[in-house]
Amino acid sequence: MTQYAFSLDVSRCTGCRACVVACQDQNDLEGDDLAAFRHVTTIERGTFPDVRIAHVSLACQHCGDAPCIAVCPTRAIVRRGAEGAVLVDENLCIGCHSCALVCPFGAPQFSADGPMVKCDLCWVRLEEGLKPACVQVCATHALDCRPTESLGAKKAEAASLRILETLVRTLPPEPA
Amino acid sequence: MTSPTRPDARAALAAAKIPGPDTGIVIRKTLCSICEYKCLVDAHVKDGRLIKVEGSRGSPINDGTLCSKGAASRQWVYNPDRLQTPLLRTGERGEGRFRPISWDEALDRIAERLAGFKAESGPESVVFFAGYPKVMRPFLKRLTHGFGSPNYCTESSTCFVGANMGGYLNYGYMLGQQGGAEIDTTRCILNWSTNHFYSQAPLGNRTFDALDRGTKLIDVGPMLSPPAERADIHLRLRPGTCGALALSMAHVIIEENLHDRAFVENWTHGFDDYREYASKFPPAVAEQITGVPKEKIVAAARLYATTKPAAIVTSACTTIHHTNGVQNHRAITALIGLTGNFDRPGGNHPVPTSYYRPSGLAHREHAFEQVKPWSEMAPRVGQDRFPVWSRIIPQAQAMALPEQILTGKPYPIRSVLAFGLNHRMWPAPEVTKQALLALDFFVDVELFMTETAKFADIVLPACSTLERNEFSISPSRHAIWTEQAVPPVGQSRPDIDIILDLAKRLVPEDELLAQGHAACLEWIFQPAGLSIAELAAHPGGMVLEGRPATPYEKYKKNGFPTPTKKMEFSSTILAELGFDALPVYREPLQSPVATPELAKEYPLVFTTGTRLPMFIHARTFRVPWLRKLHPEPTADINPVDAGARGITHMQWVEVSTPRGALRVRANVTEYVPPGVVNMIHGYPGADANELIDPDYLDPVSGHPGYKSLLCEVWPHPDQEGAAP
Ligand code: SF4
């Protein structure tokens, strides 16, 4: 099994919330009862003039050791093999909210009387060679979704390139 | 939702909205013009209905991405407020009671009334106004002048045209919305009070990519915005003092001999006077004015002047929304020439004005528009009040319109035919409302039944970009003739088609307009050999190859297009028209320095018009996904100022200025510095423009000083009541 996961480059997240809206458009989350599957939180630290503002975009993390799977009494929550998405089978879900109780990220949502719903990693899109809707929409490429092992490699490469660029800029120009 | 453990492949694909024969979902190549950046869009359409949008992958503009506004396109197109038919007023003016009428009846009535005003009071008594979208502007301007009226005006009366005036007065060239900054190749970005991440998201990404390449970033602005957060140096100035800051940087650069002496000697006019004037702003003095520590001013001046090439990224409007706006903007953009970064790779280049995006493609847009010379028409609205504007900008100045309607001076205005007019664009919008209600006849073409549309005698329903064909060309010369993604909602129609149908009635002698939209575009771009049929054969657009690239250092050929043929530190045009020739710094008309007595009662600086990512002016407040992200009106206030007034986060407060007061929630945040209160503009029920006097304008451009006046904030007595 390949385990896909979301990643967020906090240095590129501007808190624009396009990911929230793209997710709602993808999943038809139009009613007032359902919140979005993705949340963006802004945090501020410090006092003027030494202040930092940062944003974090969060959805279901499709955890490796998912507490929602462990706690579900009807085994409605399962991991799908191909990309490791944690999914809920709405026919088996009894709406007991146990998953919401244990999820560290507040991912499970419930409509008025319906079963649990949450991010499904856009697993069909992944199978079709597309990124999840929230990832594709992200104008600054802060959000990504990849197999877990390549996530680290990609971040390392990006960081190395940044260091190299800085080094190249500070070196004297090559003689003509 | 599909049952993943018993996947039915076809249902799963349909639920995931994957296009293809299995699902019956097709992709139509269109664009988003909600903010006019024109990101390319893959409209996902099933059975003639839009079911989802995505940015077009591979698009040179937005490569698959969208901002929150564009991502919400579905709720924009199918908004319950969309107008379905032409409407004729049945109740009193402004009451909002209408009955549906046919398109023919509506257009015939309009043509008959306008012809009547022309016969009775002259063509100038009819004003034509263009708000959003901008794509119809050349068509409307041609219709206006063909009709014989000089009074074509637009929402640019408060927007980027002022910045263009600043660039033009210095260089004889317009510098366009971002100041013609070469973000992709520069090594130092001086980001002057703009936050593209919230206004033109794909451009923000290019800034990040520049940073990844090692480009230095200096940010100027009061807000701790995403670019400020990431800047090497952040100059956090008091709103409205940017002219003083720019002059101080100039002083440091000249004093330390960091300017481009060859350029200054050969290509500039008035340098000695400018140098002497700038010397009145040594960093210690500028610190007193701007609040920026002097060490930071020096460091920023050195970094900008010694990193080559360097580019100033300007905003379409933040720096000119002050009562000294154009002069401030001149002081800022003068730094480009001073440091030798004008029209050089990686610096700032001239950007020709065009509503088809400045692509450098040869065109006849201006000949298309100006079918009658000014000399054969009456003076424009605002021509006496704003002579500099009228000299440079080929439009009437809409800020002068309410007064002219209400006073009838210098001549009466009887009718306004508007496309997307929002009276809340004006400071003191109640005055504009009063003026519109005083007209003999007001027509508004709109997507939605807006507050302003309710003042009209006839309302015409326009459709959105997704419902029509539209031409667009990017600076990288990617051109597109969009597909009509979905049928128009109700009987709504493209703005340009509405103009062409009015032209048939009002200017039947105009043979070109009679040939239709595509023929007009081909006429405009005839010098570049554009074929709409060829574009239509390339859904998704194509790069127009083989057209010569615009050269750099264009001034070396025939000099600058200014009266002195040089870059003018000292403006010949301003001097001639009785204004300061140098980019003189003046305090905002209301400021702690200019009006200390007033500041005792209103000690905080009020600023409005900065963007939130989900809103663009008043266009998206009615989109549920977006409104939900910011459901109530707020004012940003620093914890220091909130604490001093006993204000807690999200408490209801009263924001008051000498003109009025609003009830909003306090967003206690470090996003604003101490001493500054920030509100977005036009929020339903809490419109910041109601706090600004109607004549709080920059005399050079006529633009309102939205971004620097005085206010006070206190907890509101009503803590329980609903949002306004
Ligand atoms: S930046 Fe946003 S609103 Fe502007 S064109 Fe692109 S998607 Fe549309």
Side-chain angles (χ1 to χ4, degrees), chain A residues 11 14 28 44 52 125, chain B residues 17 54 198 229-230 669:
Chain A
S11 75
T14 63
D28 293 332
E44 299 184 0
R52 299 304 306 266
R125 288 176 60 89
Chain B
K17 303 181 181 175
E54 265 178 34
Y198 292 176
E229 171 66 38
R230 287 152 181 86
T669 174

Side-chain angles (χ1 to χ4, degrees), chain B residues 32 34-35 37-39 66-67 69-70 200-202:
Chain B
C32 172
I34 294 177
C35 85
Y37 194 69
K38 304 196 175 184
C39 293
L66 294 172
C67 77
K69 303 175 281 286
Q200 298 175 320

